[in-house]
Amino acid sequence: MDSYKIDVHAHFLTPSYLDALKKAGHVPGPDNLPFTPDWSPETHLAFMEKNNIAKSFLSITGPGTHLIPGDDAFAREVTREVNEFAAAVKRRYPAKFGFFASLPLPDIEGALAEIDYVLDELNADGFVLMTNFHGMYFGDARLAAVYAKLQARKATVFVHPMTPCGPTHEHTAELTPQRKRDVLPLGDTFIVGMMEYFFDTTRTIIDLLLSGTASAHPDIKFIIPHCGNALPSVLDRALLLSASHLRHFNAPPVRGPLIELTPADVRELFSRQFYFDLAGTPMASLIHHMLSDVPFNSWAAAEGQARDIEEGLSELFREEEKEGIYHGNAERLFGEK
């Protein structure tokens, strides 16, 4: 039998969250998925048993919990409901489930209050942050207070992609999910998760790195989904064109300030603060964990990908390295052992 696994990319849904998605226009599914899957703790436990997953860390997927631009009160209500629900699941099955709490960003004050509440009262294992908050990306200076608190709490942040969004969208209440997609190239052809999820994760992680945000908060751990997305392809170019190179080439000003990072700097940051998951893809070049992305990746599809991953890992890694990928790295990150 395969080694047991710890899954940190697994999602849950609540009846109230489904109602909130409909209210915000995410129909028939979030981020223009053609469906919204069914989910229950019992179904998830059966999947875990069948696939030798010892523990799953649950989170809300895109579009997160701040669903209507400008409506902070609704976002706080939705956020608290899903966090309370996840905490109850963890209390009921403490050996089987952990959870990453949602935050109502870009509502900074609401997020600051929720960080303390979920850590002190709900025993959250970390936080899930969408790749943008109605156009506010990870390097945005307005997030300084949030990062300061996450740093003080030595938090783990699980990153999850969502529909890309421009900076003018933050407080435009009439901006519907469909109108967000209308501005995407090929947005009327492909579902957002096919390409835009990968691009938006890459975009926000580059912003996190070159804004200096990651290096300024060394006690925050980041879990990056989908094996780093397009990051391996564009990272060298991003480093080449960082602050000192922009000056050297006399390029026009950009939103900043940016910092200069060398490949060695990034390798050090990655080794200290970053983990890369393998949800939804058989790529193996950056693996730190084995993850499922259920139920949005169907239970059957996740099982098939697990078999593909096992075959790939056996070709690329020694047995002790596979143990780290399946569970050892996660156990060290969360103090499970």
Side-chain angles (χ1 to χ4, degrees):
M1 179 178 286
D2 297 345
S3 176
Y4 72 90
K5 307 170 183 74
I6 294 177
D7 186 353
V8 303
H9 192 141
H11 301 306
F12 72 103
L13 298 132
T14 76
S16 294
Y17 184 66
L18 292 176
D19 290 341
L21 288 174
K22 292 177 183 177
K23 177 179 178 180
H26 290 277
V27 179
D31 281 347
N32 89 320
L33 276 177
F35 66 94
T36 300
D38 295 325
W39 183 88
S40 70
E42 293 72 26
T43 303
H44 204 128
L45 287 168
F47 167 78
M48 292 167 62
E49 177 68 22
K50 186 176 181 180
N51 292 277
N52 200 20
I53 298 172
K55 189 169 187 175
S56 291
F57 289 83
L58 301 174
S59 62
I60 289 292
T61 186
T65 55
H66 200 298
L67 298 171
I68 301 176
D71 195 340
D72 291 348
F74 184 54
R76 294 184 188 192
E77 176 185 332
V78 173
T79 300
R80 181 59 58 88
E81 188 274 330
V82 299
N83 288 341
E84 295 275 11
F85 183 98
V89 173
K90 179 178 178 176
R91 287 193 298 270
R92 185 178 178 187
Y93 303 103
K96 291 296 184 179
F97 289 118
F99 79 100
F100 299 136
S102 295
L103 295 177
L105 290 167
D107 172 14
I108 303 297
E109 292 304 316
L112 294 174
E114 196 69 13
I115 289 171
D116 287 334
Y117 178 74
V118 298
L119 292 178
D120 297 337
E121 304 297 331
L122 300 185
N123 194 27
D125 298 281
F127 300 90
V128 54
L129 297 187
M130 300 300 110
T131 48
N132 76 83
F133 317 110
H134 302 308
M136 182 187 294
Y137 282 82
F138 277 18
D140 198 296
R142 290 169 293 179
L143 293 167
V146 173
Y147 285 121
K149 187 173 283 287
L150 293 174
Q151 166 72 13
R153 303 302 298 258
K154 301 183 186 301
T156 295
V157 170
F158 170 62
V159 180
H160 197 279
M162 62 177 292
T163 300
C165 196
T168 60
H169 295 166
E170 290 174 45
H171 303 294
T172 309
E174 69 272 15
L175 189 66
T176 65
Q178 181 59 54
R179 289 181 64 186
K180 285 185 179 181
R181 294 192 297 272
D182 286 344
V183 304
L184 297 177
L186 301 177
D188 59 349
T189 304
F190 301 113
I191 62 171
V192 174
M194 183 179 294
M195 293 182 292
E196 300 299 338
Y197 268 16
F198 285 11
F199 301 152
D200 210 52
T201 302
T202 303
R203 181 180 296 113
T204 210
I205 298 306
I206 292 291
D207 196 29
L208 179 74
L209 294 170
L210 293 185
S211 65
T213 302
S215 55
H217 302 90
D219 293 321
I220 302 176
K221 301 295 190 295
F222 295 94
I223 301 174
I224 311 305
H226 306 126
C227 206
N229 300 271
L231 194 63
S233 299
V234 304
L235 184 56
D236 283 347
R237 182 177 179 86
L239 298 181
L240 177 68
L241 297 176
S242 60
S244 66
H245 295 89
L246 287 168
R247 290 194 298 270
H248 174 74
F249 293 129
N250 295 315
V254 295
R255 182 184 72 79
L258 299 179
I259 66 169
E260 180 182 6
L261 290 174
T262 67
D265 295 329
V266 173
R267 283 195 295 272
E268 195 277 330
L269 277 172
F270 281 179
S271 66
R272 184 183 74 225
Q273 291 178 252
F274 285 75
Y275 294 75
F276 296 85
D277 79 34
L278 202 59
T281 170
M283 290 173 61
S285 59
L286 287 175
I287 304 173
H288 275 221
H289 303 290
M290 158 64 192
L291 304 127
S292 68
D293 206 5
V294 291
F296 289 87
N297 186 28
S298 71
W299 309 106
E303 290 176 16
Q305 289 172 354
R307 291 190 294 269
D308 291 341
I309 289 168
E310 171 62 23
E311 292 176 4
L313 294 183
S314 297
E315 296 176 1
L316 295 171
F317 295 97
R318 299 188 303 272
E319 194 63 31
E320 61 270 23
E321 292 172 328
K322 288 173 56 179
E323 294 296 308
I325 291 165
Y326 278 140
H327 58 83
N329 293 323
E331 287 167 344
R332 286 187 288 274
L333 176 60
F334 295 106
E336 295 287 320
K337 291 290 185 178

